[in-house]
Amino acid sequence: MSKSGKHSDDPNHVRNKRRLIIGVTGGVAALAVATGAMAATGGTATGGADTGGKASPRSLKVMSLNTWHGGAKVTDGVNKIAKQVKASGADVVALQESSSPVAKEIADKMGWKYYTSSGKDVDLISKKPIEKTDSFSKESSGAKAIAAKIQGVWVYSIHLDYTKYGPYNACFDKDSYQEIYADEASRKAQAKDIAEWTGSAPAIVAGDFNTPSHLDWTKATKATHCNSAVEWPATKAFADKGYKDSYRELHPSPAKVPGNTWSPVTKKNTDYDNKPEPQDRIDFILHKGGSLKPATSNTYGGGPDWPSDHLAVVTTFHL
């Protein structure tokens, strides 16, 4: 089992993020969406050909972005987030490690009228009208999600449990597969609950999963993943419900195009004697149903003005 049990949100970990406090709603709860009508209210693309620009009317360009405490970890963070989102050309951004006031502030700086107010650390902001919203939380697993219907498609922002981070088990503690899978129980339960809640409608799930993908740690890539092949259960839970990984669809070789999103900032782990931090793809944009088809998908960000300790993921869908 992981020596420290720490990963993305632990305030004492090198990533210096907060622990989530989950509000319990007992299931599905409707959320009001703040819009101009309903309530007054440079980046670098890698791992793909999409480098910004506007999406067409029959497409939807989605970004998943961990905001690193709502931009609080860098100077002028909110302005930097807004600048990077604008440069990406995204239509919709799934925010994690944010807050509803920060989501509104980012939207306002972008001149966008549409955003959610989940009361959790996940929200959505959109250039395009939000038709409906919904939210979900479950006490037993700690699962939480916010959803907005945009251009007839439900878009979800999610953030899974940060504790007992699997790559530390494999790379630092040299745990058995049995121990690795046991420590994934929380994320697996959250993923299963959220995937079940999303139902069968056309959907896009975007977020920080705090785990690699079952598509990446394969026998063919063991040499780059601490000699381990792991079928990470959180992403597998979504795959079992029909979700496809937009990035890996367009970049099918994890050996040639790993698409790592963790981390442009953290390269050494102070909890493990400054050993090299495992670099992994832990942020995803998944999709299923309808005529949704990913046209481009890339990681996005990095550099001195980048406001997050994750790279973002950006996928343009044809609807």
Side-chain angles (χ1 to χ4, degrees), residues 19-267:
R19 183 172 181 131
L20 306 179
I21 305 300
I22 311 280
V24 178
T25 65
V28 179
L31 280 181
V33 59
T35 74
M38 301 170 69
T41 64
T44 300
T46 60
D50 187 3
T51 57
K54 295 181 179 180
S56 71
R58 292 307 303 161
S59 68
L60 193 65
K61 193 169 188 177
V62 180
M63 171 185 274
S64 181
L65 176 62
N66 182 306
T67 66
W68 206 7
H69 285 231
K73 292 299 179 180
V74 298
T75 302
D76 201 26
V78 171
N79 279 324
K80 287 179 178 176
I81 291 170
K83 180 181 178 180
Q84 295 288 350
V85 170
K86 183 177 181 180
S88 76
D91 297 311
V92 183
V93 185
L95 303 172
Q96 304 91 42
E97 240 180 82
S98 184
S99 67
S100 295
V102 169
K104 180 183 183 301
E105 187 178 358
I106 295 169
D108 287 346
K109 290 181 181 297
M110 296 282 296
W112 291 4
K113 298 179 180 180
Y114 309 100
Y115 55 89
T116 60
S117 298
S118 73
K120 304 178 180 69
D121 84 323
V122 287
D123 269 303
L124 292 150
I125 61 174
S126 178
K127 178 167 57 178
K128 298 186 177 184
I130 292 177
E131 300 154 21
K132 296 179 181 179
T133 63
D134 208 347
S135 69
F136 172 79
S137 64
K138 189 171 181 179
E139 182 177 11
S140 60
S141 67
K144 64 186 183 304
I146 182 70
K149 194 173 187 180
I150 302 165
Q151 289 189 260
V153 178
W154 282 101
V155 182
Y156 300 81
S157 181
I158 73 170
H159 192 188
L160 301 186
D161 183 17
Y162 71 92
T163 62
K164 300 180 181 179
Y165 184 52
Y168 295 171
N169 296 57
C171 297
F172 296 150
D173 300 316
K174 308 300 181 183
D175 286 340
S176 67
Y177 286 123
Q178 182 179 3
E179 290 173 306
I180 291 171
Y181 287 123
D183 277 356
E184 289 298 307
S186 176
R187 279 180 290 275
K188 179 181 179 180
Q190 291 176 351
K192 289 180 71 173
D193 285 341
I194 295 168
E196 181 69 30
W197 174 66
T198 63
S200 59
I204 297 168
V205 173
D208 172 5
F209 283 46
N210 276 316
T211 177
S213 170
H214 67 290
L215 300 175
D216 293 355
W217 281 49
T218 65
K219 291 181 179 179
T221 63
K222 286 179 69 173
T224 58
H225 295 302
C226 304
N227 200 35
S228 299
V230 182
E231 192 174 72
W232 298 103
T235 55
K236 184 64 164 53
F238 280 95
D240 289 344
K241 285 295 183 179
Y243 280 94
K244 298 178 181 180
D245 183 327
S246 64
Y247 186 89
R248 197 51 75 210
E249 276 188 275
L250 297 178
H251 309 288
S253 172
K256 293 180 179 178
V257 188
N260 295 334
T261 59
W262 177 256
S263 163
V265 173
T266 301
K267 301 302 181 183

Side-chain angles (χ1 to χ4, degrees), residues 295-307:
T296 61
S297 187
N298 58 275
T299 58
Y300 187 90
D305 289 329
W306 182 246

